Amino acid sequence: MKIISIKLTDEEYKELEEKARQEGYVLLSEYVRSVLFGRQTPIQNQINVDVNNPEIVNQIVTKLERKIMDYINPFTAQIEEIKRKIADLTEKIEELESSKKSAEKIEKSEEKKQIKVEAKKEQPQLKKTAIERLQEEGILFESELKALRDPTAFFNKLEREGAKIMYLESERIAMSQDFYNKFIEDISSIDTSDPEEAASKLEPKEAKLFRKLAKEALVIYDANSKGWKLAAQL
């Protein structure tokens, strides 16, 4: 291949470049070659477009838009698919975080319950004394104390510690001082001489005691005071 070198002034080179551009050439060397050999390139054979004709311009623009959209659409679809997957992934992450928080909350709650249970187990369970139990319950019936090994010793101990003991034919009954005082006061205010009606006006434990005492005639109705009283004070 032979090379021809031509020296041009700056003005001549710029003029040659302008002509090549007007003819539609990208490379200046191709333009020079076509001038020397009188050849026409595909660029020179292009149809001249009347840019002043709006209809033709619109047709070209429409075709260009379609062509551009043909290139863009596949990428747009891929972007939408990526956005959808991101949204699904975000939703799943939020669900997992919510489930994790719920599980942690339940776990903490269970841990607290377990700690309370263990703490309760570790606390020494002190056995209540007989007098402490009586003070708490107010009254104890021997017939209900099935687990007593020595009932006599049990009631004797209560009596020594200040409990009121009633000796019935059927059983022994222990009362705290407070329960005894309240019972005496409550039965004294009942103005009916009917034992069952009188019992119905008392609290459950007092009513049970009253019925047992009435059965053995250890409570009597006083017509003068219009109330009930023990046959013998303790």
Side-chain angles (χ1 to χ4, degrees):
M1 179 177 289
K2 304 297 183 179
I3 298 174
I4 297 175
S5 177
I6 302 175
K7 291 185 178 181
L8 300 172
T9 63
D10 291 342
E11 290 75 11
E12 289 173 337
Y13 188 84
K14 287 180 180 181
E15 184 179 348
L16 191 61
E17 273 188 326
E18 181 62 23
K19 287 183 178 181
R21 184 185 64 78
Q22 290 176 357
E23 293 293 330
Y25 287 90
V26 176
L27 297 177
L28 182 59
S29 59
E30 290 296 326
Y31 173 67
V32 172
R33 184 188 297 273
S34 67
V35 170
L36 291 175
F37 295 100
R39 295 175 181 172
Q40 288 187 338
T41 64
I43 297 175
Q44 289 175 312
N45 291 328
Q46 291 179 352
I47 299 172
N48 293 325
V49 177
D50 185 1
V51 296
N52 294 321
N53 189 328
E55 184 177 351
I56 295 175
V57 172
N58 288 336
Q59 290 177 358
I60 294 172
V61 170
T62 301
K63 289 181 180 180
L64 285 174
E65 287 178 348
R66 289 176 182 173
K67 198 68 176 176
I68 292 170
M69 291 305 296
D70 288 341
Y71 283 106
I72 292 176
N73 283 336
F75 296 102
T76 303
Q78 291 178 7
I79 291 171
E80 290 299 322
E81 179 66 15
I82 292 171
K83 287 171 65 178
R84 186 187 63 78
K85 289 182 178 180
I86 291 173
D88 291 343
L89 183 60
T90 302
E91 184 177 352
K92 289 180 180 179
I93 291 172
E94 290 176 351
E95 289 177 356
L96 288 173
E97 289 179 347
S98 179
S99 299
K100 183 180 177 182
K101 288 180 181 179
S102 297
E104 289 176 350
K105 189 175 181 180
I106 293 172
E107 185 178 352
K108 287 180 180 179
S109 178
E110 291 298 326
E111 286 178 357
K112 288 180 180 178
K113 288 180 181 179
Q114 185 63 28
I115 290 172
K116 288 182 179 179
V117 170
E118 291 177 356
K120 190 174 181 180
K121 288 181 179 178
E122 291 175 359
Q123 290 178 353
Q125 300 294 324
L126 300 176
K127 188 176 180 180
K128 294 178 182 178
T129 63
I131 194 66
E132 286 175 340
R133 181 178 175 184
L134 180 63
Q135 292 293 343
E136 184 178 300
E137 298 188 24
I139 186 170
L140 295 173
F141 296 90
E142 184 178 358
S143 59
E144 295 178 352
L145 303 173
K146 305 295 184 182
L148 287 180
R149 293 183 181 178
D150 189 347
T152 299
F154 179 79
F155 282 94
N156 288 342
K157 187 173 187 302
L158 284 175
E159 192 169 19
R160 288 195 304 271
E161 293 179 353
K164 296 291 185 180
I165 309 296
M166 284 189 173
Y167 295 88
L168 280 61
E169 291 182 5
S170 57
E171 64 178 319
R172 284 165 286 198
I173 300 173
M175 291 175 285
S176 68
Q177 185 66 54
D178 290 340
F179 184 92
Y180 175 79
N181 293 339
K182 185 177 182 301
F183 178 74
I184 296 299
E185 182 181 350
D186 289 346
I187 65 174
S188 66
S189 63
I190 299 174
D191 59 2
T192 177
S193 60
D194 180 83
E196 192 57 39
E197 187 179 350
S200 67
K201 296 179 182 295
L202 296 169
E203 295 176 359
K205 289 183 179 180
E206 290 181 331
K208 183 176 180 178
L209 174 62
F210 184 85
R211 289 189 178 96
K212 286 181 177 290
L213 297 177
K215 185 177 181 181
E216 298 189 19
L218 294 177
V219 287
I220 56 176
Y221 180 74
D222 186 349
N224 294 325
S225 63
K226 295 186 182 301
W228 291 80
K229 62 181 181 180
L230 293 177
Q233 296 293 324
L234 297 181

